[in-house]
Amino acid sequence: MKNTLYYIIVLYSFFLVSCNDSLSLTETKVTNVEELNAAIKECQPGDNIVLSNGVYKDVRIEFIGHGTPENPIVLRAETPGEVSIEGRSNLKLGGEYLVVEGLHFKNGYTPTKSVIQFRIDNKLFASHTKVTNCVIEEFTQPDRDATDHWVEIWGRHNELSNNYIAGKSNFGPTVMVMLKGNEHIKNYHQIVNNHFGPRPRKGGPHGETMQIGDSGTSMMPSHTNVSNNFFERCNGEVEVISSKSNFNEFRNNVFFESEGSLVLRHGNFATIDGNVFIGNDNSEFIGGIRVINTGHWITNNYFYKLKGSIFRAPLAVMNGIPKSPQNRYNQVTDAVMAYNSFVDCETPFHFSVGSNVSQSEVLPKSEIRSARPKRTIVANNILYNETPFDYPIKNYDKVDGVTFKNNYSNSDNKSEVQPEGLIKTDLAFANNIPSVSSKDLYAGFDFETINKDIFGSDRTSDNNTAGAIVNTTKDPLNIDKSKYGTDWFTAEKPKTESKTISVATSEGLNKSLLEANSGDILELKSGTYQLDKTLKVNKSVTITSADKNNKAELVFSANNTAFEMNPKGMLKIEGLVLKGNKSQSAFKTLDKNMTSAYGLQINNTEISDFRSVLEVSKGSFADTVAVRNSSIKNCLKGIQLNKETNDKGDYNSEFVYITDNTFTNVGENVVNYYRGGYDESTIGGNLVFKNNTVSNCGKTEKENILIKNRGIVNVQFANNTFKNNPVKVVAVLWGEKGQKPENNTISNSGEIKVVQNLKLKLMY
Amino acid sequence: MKNTLYYIIVLYSFFLVSCNDSLSLTETKVTNVEELNAAIKECQPGDNIVLSNGVYKDVRIEFIGHGTPENPIVLRAETPGEVSIEGRSNLKLGGEYLVVEGLHFKNGYTPTKSVIQFRIDNKLFASHTKVTNCVIEEFTQPDRDATDHWVEIWGRHNELSNNYIAGKSNFGPTVMVMLKGNEHIKNYHQIVNNHFGPRPRKGGPHGETMQIGDSGTSMMPSHTNVSNNFFERCNGEVEVISSKSNFNEFRNNVFFESEGSLVLRHGNFATIDGNVFIGNDNSEFIGGIRVINTGHWITNNYFYKLKGSIFRAPLAVMNGIPKSPQNRYNQVTDAVMAYNSFVDCETPFHFSVGSNVSQSEVLPKSEIRSARPKRTIVANNILYNETPFDYPIKNYDKVDGVTFKNNYSNSDNKSEVQPEGLIKTDLAFANNIPSVSSKDLYAGFDFETINKDIFGSDRTSDNNTAGAIVNTTKDPLNIDKSKYGTDWFTAEKPKTESKTISVATSEGLNKSLLEANSGDILELKSGTYQLDKTLKVNKSVTITSADKNNKAELVFSANNTAFEMNPKGMLKIEGLVLKGNKSQSAFKTLDKNMTSAYGLQINNTEISDFRSVLEVSKGSFADTVAVRNSSIKNCLKGIQLNKETNDKGDYNSEFVYITDNTFTNVGENVVNYYRGGYDESTIGGNLVFKNNTVSNCGKTEKENILIKNRGIVNVQFANNTFKNNPVKVVAVLWGEKGQKPENNTISNSGEIKVVQNLKLKLMY
């Protein structure tokens, strides 16, 4: 290939409108990586290197060049979106005034620690360099525990604009701004007009969509500007954005149904202005802004139907650790929260979030958050609830360092904290904008600098009002998604009609499952299906009995597992009978390369004679595992979600619903669902164990616990019946997280314990 | 007085040259505080309030006014220096564009927490306000432990210029910049052209001459400018200046024989440029610059004959604590030390200062400084020693994060650290300026911003060279002291001739001591003096025998103590016989109000039959206590410097010399010299105990230790003889501080112990 190197070189000249300067451009079209490398090697200011349309697989591009402000060096797709970078590929940038345009990273992952990296090595980095109109789509590591960043920004004055970036499942922030060294501080990076598409729940920490600096560089002046981006269902962890440096700005972004918050985790003096947070009441995990540290100004933001609380509150102001270690929680001081509007967020303000003095027995002193916010101003905000809600403030400690001035609400305030500066009054509401007739505003120190509203309207006239919006004609929820991301990529896939495929034989089942499209339903005729091969599930598929009253019976002699759950395998089993030979699992994930989440729902099904109901591998993650209205019997083990034992906050499934089942003669434990390590970055797992009857189980259980849920944060445990299970403990619940047994019937089966404070391994 | 209020009001108009603007000024002359208050109440932009010459005693002035940039409001002395503020007095400032000129604070102290405070209360502070041409002289609290600041600066854009400030003995930085609140950050204060006169050793922490912020506000952007000041013998503690916030600048200051350093204690991104550090080989406690935290640029500085090491090294770069608590030691990163000149500083560079991994057994993990400097550049410096010295670098840990480039030295480098970037070469030396012929310079990141030298000469031409000075004609040691401080005050007092007063009777002794001038000598004729009154010492005085071979014998029946040491009492006893009645001390300080240090020297003297040789009060401080060639016998206790037991690093004397004495039949311990608390801010005390003979002492000593020196940092213990002292321990020495017994003879007197690591009470 190296011998067949050839170029097409097109020379032409044209006017650069911006500087009225005549120059000649070299456009070099390349068709493979060797040509590309050769073109890069020769590139001069003003050059265009054009990647011919096609797939570039397993390429590691080092784009090094030295452009000028007037004549950058451009690396672009022949047609935006028609050039894809696939396989084990990445792109590194070094030099200055470079532009990368129109590339599509997909069907692969980086062989290094980043997909696009704004540096070549320790010495050569990129400045004044732009990546624009590109897509990085599910370019995720096969192993959830493998760490990378998709975009790693070094240097100064770089731009990430108009890109679509979505689908990272593995460890590590999607976009990371690095500040390690004087060359990378005061960077004034522009992260603008991007569409950050869904990032799935990770089931562990380090799932941020963006992080700017880290605790070790949190004293750095960063000055990164994150503006006009659309964050759509960025659900990776509790922090959608983690700001960990000084003087960053977050302006006019939209956070749409994202399960997390914009978190000022380390560093100080951030500006959060004019952003829209939309919850749509969709989930109690959707947050707003969480405040830690000093000197932040939070102004002109609009919060809509956010149900989150505590860490995920619309506005969470944390307690700090006195004299905090650098990587933990500094006290909030000198924060200003002014001119924000909260619409149908029942309790917008949560103060002293994270206060944990009560956990002194299980936490070291250096983890106790007892330093309350101080010198903090809350002024000129509007709180509107269509149905008035009388608890606008939730406090987890005294609120003695916060001054409320001229905040207006249409509800009473029955909260423990009753500041004079929170005033009940009538509020108008039109175009989703609440407004107040009073013109009484607080003119705090430097408040004259808040001279525009969310839409840029002037605040300096007499028409200034409380809340994010001065002029009430423009609906803040009327968001034009076309403003964000590329000019060519559409994230929405065309909907395919799901079809029902009738199956009557074992061979037919094998074949149909292989050939089905995602979303299809396999409907099994009544009868017995002998299956000596594992059924592989790598798409969304439902397997059901045609006759609910005469269920199809699947008898497995396959080794290892009956069903093999693959990444993106979303299996729904409805009304079947599943029988094993006692040596295999009913359901099992791949041992490795569980790139993306899978899901499993089992309804109205009889499962018997398996080694285990579900077995998973360490790196696997199920968004949901649900077993309902089913009977499980004569299995050695039940539902096993216990392989993620790194004790760093990761776990194997987000939601586990076990309801209305009977478990009979399960040898060891019925459920084993584990999360280890003292971490607060995630939802922390959810177990609903209700209305089940468990009998004659646990005979060979070594730890003498029938239902294991250690470290899982959210647990409901109610209305179950336990009979004749020879264990000491039915379950251990975690009191501090509000877990309590309700209405369970226990006979001859040990007891349910509640431990108030669970001692977890410290990760810090 | 309030009824006799009257003014002299002088109205006249004149041109303000600066703005060519015609305006009428009101000049209000006041003669007492009531008139002053009335004038302040009425003051308008452009007003001058003139304090008539005289003494204003016990006045608490609140100067509140609202001037304008063109028309500030001025409060000034009728004649600079002829208006003194005395007694329990202070001055608070509130508003903007105020000027205070020509006042002299002396003979008193503040009744509050500051002498001049740039705020009235929590809400009203001063901005754009200037204090200039004033003196604060020994306006120190009577109690060393009482806390105050002499100048406390709040607000923004204030100026402290051309003042003389000296003689603070009590707890608290002399000048303190406060950053608590958004109103006080980004302050751009100008602390310029001041003369900071001597601040005596304090014998404990919190004796800084200037502090900017504190650990709790160390994340604040301060931008305070400290330039063109003269720091003369500012010996209060190890930090002459403690910078504890971000973006401060220290330019072109002179540090003259000051026992301490310019310390970047907290906060980041300081600029230290063009300063002169003069040690004159005078003391090993005189330091240069100590570096902690991130992003500091240390350029164009000139270091002359500095003998300090470790914390007081010419350039000390510390180890940090990994993930340090906010009030302890952050790691040094991203520091630049370039274009500095070191002249006759044998070992300019000390790296990983404070490394204390070896003390893990006595310190908690959160105190262990193991994080080495990283991403740090040392470049283009000159190291010149007239007598070449081959150990330019002292390292207390690995030096793996520091890059040396193009540094030039005229010595070999036999240090453990041997960077290529430290080059031996011939250096020229003229006008106290070393220079190198090589033009090879390192052009590091952002080095082009170092475009001037110490004198402002251009560095951008081809003539640029290493070291602080490009043009070698101007002597950096030729310092014009008249540039600093006021235009009227002279710190140097006229020298008085000391006279010798002959004394023959007890009455004569009493009278002569009372009437003597400081520096006089009382010469006692041979014979016995019966003294039933305590002799009060509040000046520098020597009491000696006229005939050394026939010593005067002073027999005391006075209660409490023979000699009472008062503040500034500097007593030298030479060749006397002092006898007590067993019930009183020979020497004793006041019980309280020991405002300033005292001193005591005893030579060739016989002391017997006292309760104790020296007793002190908690707040007292002796710079030096020396007992030489004397005999002490039949006393209950020896030299007691053990009352400062707050265990926060304070102690009762800086230097204690006990040499060539005999101690016989001293009942308890011979010396008790105590310093408690884990503190590194001070010299830490000095005990020289040499060539003494101690016998039959310690019979009633409860702790069974003959010489107590707990917590004292510097101890020499050599050539002593101990005979028949019934104790278990002669002394406990502190191995980690290099203390070791040398050549002592011990018989029937217990043993000398060496403890490697002393466990001290943590203060943080």
Side-chain angles (χ1 to χ4, degrees), chain A residues 509-571:
Chain A
L509 176 54
N510 279 317
K511 186 164 177 288
S512 298
L513 182 58
L514 200 65
E515 292 173 355
N517 290 320
S518 210
D520 287 352
I521 298 165
L522 309 192
E523 198 173 71
L524 274 59
K525 296 212 162 127
S526 300
T528 300
Y529 297 72
Q530 294 290 343
L531 294 152
D532 58 0
K533 286 197 191 112
T534 291
L535 296 170
K536 176 177 170 177
V537 183
N538 59 4
K539 63 194 91 173
S540 183
V541 65
T542 299
I543 305 178
T544 183
S545 287
D547 180 355
K548 301 287 178 257
N549 297 318
N550 202 356
K551 293 173 178 167
E553 184 177 87
L554 279 60
V555 180
F556 290 90
S557 58
N559 286 334
N560 191 18
T561 185
F563 292 90
E564 181 190 79
M565 301 308 300
N566 284 250
K568 298 197 180 183
M570 299 289 166
L571 177 61

Side-chain angles (χ1 to χ4, degrees), chain A residues 181-182 220 323-324 326 334, chain B residues 181-182 220 324 326-327 334:
Chain A
N182 285 330
M220 295 298 197
K323 297 167 185 171
S324 173
Q326 194 175 29
D334 306 289
Chain B
N182 286 330
M220 295 296 195
S324 173
Q326 194 176 28
N327 63 330
D334 306 289

Side-chain angles (χ1 to χ4, degrees), chain A residues 156 180-183 185 219-221 247 268-269 294 297 323-327 330 334 336 375 445-446, chain B residues 156 180-183 185 219-221 247 268-269 294 297 323-327 330 334 375 445-446:
Chain A
R156 288 179 175 177
K180 283 186 185 152
N182 285 330
E183 299 88 341
I185 65 171
M219 73 295 283
M220 295 298 197
F247 309 121
N268 308 287
F269 298 96
T294 287
W297 282 59
K323 297 167 185 171
S324 173
Q326 194 175 29
N327 63 330
N330 282 312
D334 306 289
V336 173
R375 298 193 303 267
F445 184 80
D446 267 353
Chain B
R156 289 180 173 176
K180 282 187 186 151
N182 286 330
E183 299 87 342
I185 65 171
M219 74 293 283
M220 295 296 195
F247 309 123
N268 310 285
F269 298 97
T294 286
W297 282 59
K323 297 170 185 171
S324 173
Q326 194 176 28
N327 63 330
N330 281 313
D334 306 289
R375 299 193 303 267
F445 183 79
D446 266 354

